Amino acid sequence: MNTFQLKIIGLILMTLDHMYQYFKLAGVPIWFNWLGRVVAPIFAFTAVEGYYHTRDRFKYMRRLYVSSLLMSIGNIIVPMIISRPDGMTVPNNIFSTLFLITVYIKAIELLAEGRYSGDRKKLYRGLVLGVVPIASGFIASAGYQLGGEWAYKAISAVLPNPFTTEGGPVFIMIGLIMYFLRQDRVKMVAIYSFISLSMLVSGELTVQRIFFENYQWMMVFSAVFFLLYNGQKGRGVKYLFYAYYPGHIYFFYVLSAILMLK
């Protein structure tokens, strides 16, 4: 499978996943959500491949950042226009996670280059790139204490941090593993699978818990797609994901709010 085919599969399964998220009260089956567990890893995988192959990495990172910022703003505005009676807002923003993955890839690369070449500028730049997102998390928390939820959301939107992004530090770490072990796909898949299945360790291994309470471990099945990847880009539809991702989420949110208000 090429990158385009992986993205199309991701888009289809993502749509089912978000149908469950926004319409589960209407009876959408939970297995839609099970299928959706493989989506974020697939997009993380295609994002690191895109970063590796792009001719302009700064432009690639900027595109993810702008998308993250715009969606953070949309996540604030849309619920202000129409709200759900149950108080649910829009929590989705995978762009910020993908952006931070590329930030930490770049930070590690700069640190490695600076160390071996003795270039202190690269070392400093790498350190700054690695520290700023973490510092942003503490600044956002302080902002919440001083200015409330609006200050927290504004700071997190402008400076995404690993503590509040979708998937958190675990998904960022997974993205780094995907990138730096991309030349050893078997090892990468083995480590990824171990991380996925380790989510089963805490708590009792009951059917109720494994399939209906804590089923994030199901993301292990995305490893199949990693192994099927042929290293090719495939058809180029650069902005399909950037447009479809926020578009379908806001559509589902607004539609669910309208149906609940009737």
Side-chain angles (χ1 to χ4, degrees):
M1 287 184 161
N2 57 45
T3 300
F4 173 74
Q5 292 167 330
L6 290 178
K7 287 182 178 179
I8 293 301
I9 290 173
L11 288 176
I12 294 171
L13 296 181
M14 175 179 68
T15 302
L16 297 177
D17 183 34
H18 291 144
M19 284 178 66
Y20 174 81
Q21 180 181 2
Y22 289 100
F23 297 102
K24 60 183 176 182
L25 296 178
V28 174
I30 194 172
W31 60 267
F32 276 36
N33 206 218
W34 292 348
L35 293 173
R37 296 312 88 209
V38 307
V39 174
I42 287 176
F43 283 124
F45 182 80
T46 56
V48 299
E49 284 295 313
Y51 176 87
Y52 180 81
H53 290 291
T54 187
R55 288 175 292 181
D56 190 336
R57 291 182 174 179
F58 176 76
K59 185 177 180 180
Y60 187 84
M61 295 171 68
R62 183 178 63 191
R63 185 162 63 242
L64 287 173
Y65 172 75
V66 171
S67 299
S68 171
L69 178 60
L70 291 177
M71 190 151 190
S72 294
I73 295 172
N75 290 355
I76 295 172
I77 294 176
V78 172
M80 290 175 61
I81 297 174
I82 181 170
S83 59
R84 287 179 37 139
D86 61 356
M88 179 182 179
T89 57
V90 183
N92 316 88
N93 191 349
I94 196 65
F95 291 129
S96 61
T97 307
L98 301 182
F99 169 67
L100 286 178
I101 288 174
T102 62
V103 166
Y104 279 101
I105 290 173
K106 188 63 178 177
I108 293 172
E109 288 180 332
L110 286 170
L111 288 170
E113 291 170 8
R115 178 186 175 187
Y116 289 112
S117 67
D119 189 333
R120 291 188 176 182
K121 288 184 179 181
K122 288 186 176 181
L123 281 173
Y124 295 148
R125 287 168 60 194
L127 285 172
V128 170
L129 274 181
V131 170
V132 167
I134 297 174
S136 173
F138 292 103
I139 294 171
S141 296
Y144 181 81
Q145 298 297 323
L146 298 174
E149 186 176 0
W150 282 100
Y152 178 81
K153 289 183 176 180
I155 295 170
S156 298
V158 175
L159 292 173
N161 67 80
F163 309 112
T164 59
T165 56
E166 281 196 67
V170 172
F171 264 75
I172 295 173
M173 177 180 66
I174 286 174
L176 295 176
I177 291 170
M178 290 175 174
Y179 183 80
F180 289 105
L181 290 180
R182 63 181 305 279
Q183 301 296 341
D184 191 340
R185 193 87 54 82
V186 173
K187 183 182 291 186
M188 183 270 282
V189 166
I191 295 175
Y192 170 80
S193 299
F194 174 78
I195 293 172
S196 300
L197 295 175
S198 67
M199 297 178 183
L200 287 169
V201 174
S202 60
E204 296 182 67
L205 296 181
T206 62
V207 172
Q208 176 65 27
R209 180 177 175 276
I210 293 174
F211 291 98
F212 298 97
E213 295 176 7
N214 181 27
Y215 46 86
Q216 185 59 41
W217 64 270
M218 292 183 183
M219 69 182 195
V220 70
F221 295 113
S222 58
V224 175
F225 299 103
F226 306 157
L227 292 172
L228 291 174
Y229 176 58
N230 61 16
Q232 302 298 314
K233 179 180 179 182
R235 184 178 177 183
V237 188
K238 182 184 296 184
Y239 294 103
L240 174 63
F241 173 65
Y242 292 95
Y244 184 80
Y245 177 71
H248 87 285
I249 284 176
Y250 294 145
F251 173 76
F252 284 163
Y253 176 84
V254 171
L255 180 60
S256 66
I258 292 173
L259 293 176
M260 293 180 74
L261 289 170
K262 288 185 177 182

